[in-house]
Amino acid sequence: MNWIVAIPLYNKSSTIERCLKSVLSQSLTEFDLLIVNDGSTDNSIAIVEERFSDSRINIVTTINKGVSNARNIAINYAVDHEHQYIAFLDADDYWENNHLELLDQLFKQYKDIQVVASNYITHFNNYIKSNVFSKPVETTQILEDLFTYSFKSFPLSSSSFACNVEVFEKTGNYNTQLTHGEDTELFIRLGKLYKIGFNTSVTVHIDRTLSGSSSIAIKDRKHPEFIHLDDSNNLPLHAFIQTNLWRIAIEHKMYGQSDSFEEIKKKIDKNSLTVKQLFLLNLPGKLLYYLHQFKTRKD
């Protein structure tokens, strides 16, 4: 079977049923579905086992080691079971019923493409955010350089992309040492090596209505270093990496981590930042915090 869908699952009892229904109602029906239970302590798995009896569902249970480890288990499972394509879906997100069919069509349309994605929208409590890319995108096209499209919205998300399983032999799997930014770090590795087959149709819903603050303290978070992925000869990539470093620096300053803020700030190429970014970088941490709280309440 060509396709496998991978869902990492940890304590998503309020959303896993919606997630699974969206997968099992796909117009492309020939796929395996792997749920990697990352040591859930709620009744997420009970919901799966009691409410779904589809023969395509497989469950692997592991002790809690984080989403990157769960996704890597799925990648290894796909290799062992000789699947060609893998699509990921977070357990709080969901698909339109043509999502897999659309991705499959992209692989067939662009024979040499190894990574594909469709468009997505993000649901917050008070509004829905649509993507705005920094270059015009046709309905269906190849993104020759992923990073030229990424200054406003990023074309890839953890629930909207799929790839040939073989790409992980070149890029490596998800970095399990990271607690934050693991998706972005992998997408940079993918974008440096591969063109992206993309369709602007919205087939993915990212749900941020229930997202709370991370349980991991700022000082203990492991973000990507990014510097080892940078390439000063690729200006869009360089600017994208600098913006991500800026975001991490702002977060540390906002929560009073002045020492780590200064360390991250030293790594940032200030010439790659916008006037607004430079302005915010120099604001007092408390003011940044209040601005963030205001925006969060608005969202």
Side-chain angles (χ1 to χ4, degrees):
M1 190 170 294
N2 279 350
W3 279 94
I4 184 169
V5 177
I7 300 177
L9 176 60
Y10 178 72
N11 289 0
K12 297 294 182 181
S13 59
S14 63
T15 58
I16 185 59
E17 182 173 7
R18 179 185 65 185
C19 173
L20 286 181
K21 284 181 176 179
S22 79
V23 175
L24 297 174
S25 65
Q26 290 296 299
S27 54
L28 188 155
T29 59
E30 293 189 14
F31 60 86
D32 282 334
L33 171 56
L34 180 67
I35 299 170
V36 182
N37 175 26
D38 187 30
S40 293
T41 58
D42 66 359
N43 64 332
S44 297
I45 285 297
I47 290 172
V48 175
E49 294 175 338
E50 293 170 4
R51 302 180 189 178
F52 297 92
S53 58
D54 197 294
S55 62
R56 293 171 291 183
I57 297 176
N58 301 278
I59 300 174
V60 172
T61 297
T62 182
I63 61 174
N64 180 243
K65 290 186 177 181
V67 67
S68 291
N69 182 71
R71 289 174 181 150
N72 287 343
I73 289 174
I75 292 168
N76 295 334
Y77 182 99
V79 172
D80 292 343
H81 291 78
E82 299 182 342
H83 291 91
Q84 184 176 7
Y85 303 123
I86 185 168
F88 297 92
L89 178 60
D90 289 347
D92 43 9
D93 301 335
Y94 56 100
W95 290 341
E96 294 292 330
N97 64 6
N98 63 333
H99 177 69
L100 280 182
E101 182 179 7
L102 184 149
L103 297 186
D104 193 63
Q105 289 172 352
L106 285 170
F107 279 123
K108 292 176 179 176
Q109 181 176 355
Y110 302 116
K111 301 295 185 182
D112 296 329
I113 289 297
Q114 304 299 316
V115 183
V116 298
S118 64
N119 206 354
Y120 60 93
I121 56 177
T122 307
H123 297 255
F124 295 93
N125 286 316
N126 297 319
Y127 72 100
I128 298 174
K129 180 183 177 182
S130 299
N131 288 326
V132 178
F133 302 114
S134 45
K135 282 183 64 177
V137 182
E138 301 295 331
T139 302
T140 302
Q141 75 171 70
I142 295 176
L143 307 184
E144 298 282 345
D145 184 347
L146 172 65
F147 308 104
T148 62
Y149 299 87
S150 305
F151 297 128
K152 296 180 180 179
S153 300
F154 196 62
L156 304 184
S157 79
S158 57
S159 293
S160 65
F161 89 104
C163 61
N164 190 314
V165 174
E166 292 180 353
V167 305
F168 294 105
E169 294 179 8
K170 292 185 177 180
T171 65
N173 289 4
Y174 282 88
N175 187 341
T176 58
Q177 301 303 308
L178 304 176
T179 64
H180 292 70
E182 66 283 343
D183 294 326
T184 302
E185 197 260 358
L186 175 68
F187 294 154
I188 291 173
R189 286 186 270 138
L190 287 171
K192 290 180 68 174
L193 291 176
Y194 297 102
K195 300 173 184 178
I196 312 296
F198 190 76
N199 191 302
T200 57
S201 300
V202 174
T203 63
V204 179
H205 297 263
I206 308 296
D207 189 347
R208 294 293 177 266
T209 60
L210 298 177
S211 297
S213 58
S214 173
S215 60
I216 302 175
I218 295 291
K219 64 182 179 62
D220 296 324
R221 295 181 186 181
K222 304 297 183 184
H223 290 276
E225 291 288 338
F226 287 124
I227 300 301
H228 67 289
L229 297 170
D230 204 351
D231 181 357
S232 58
N233 294 318
N234 184 334
L235 294 181
L237 168 61
H238 181 67
F240 180 74
I241 285 178
Q242 298 310 307
T243 293
N244 276 277
L245 286 172
W246 170 83
R247 287 176 179 148
I248 298 169
I250 289 291
E251 184 179 63
H252 280 247
K253 189 175 189 179
M254 183 170 62
Y255 287 101
Q257 301 298 313
S258 56
D259 290 342
S260 55
F261 163 74
E262 292 296 337
E263 287 299 315
I264 300 167
K265 183 180 177 182
K266 291 176 184 177
K267 301 175 184 178
I268 299 174
D269 176 8
K270 311 301 187 302
N271 293 323
S272 295
L273 300 183
T274 65
V275 173
K276 178 181 177 181
Q277 288 172 330
L278 287 169
F279 173 74
L280 291 172
L281 194 66
N282 291 304
L283 285 181
K286 287 186 177 181
L287 182 53
L288 286 171
Y289 177 80
Y290 289 132
L291 289 172
H292 174 72
Q293 291 299 308
F294 175 78
K295 183 179 183 301
T296 301
R297 285 194 294 270
K298 183 180 178 183
D299 292 349

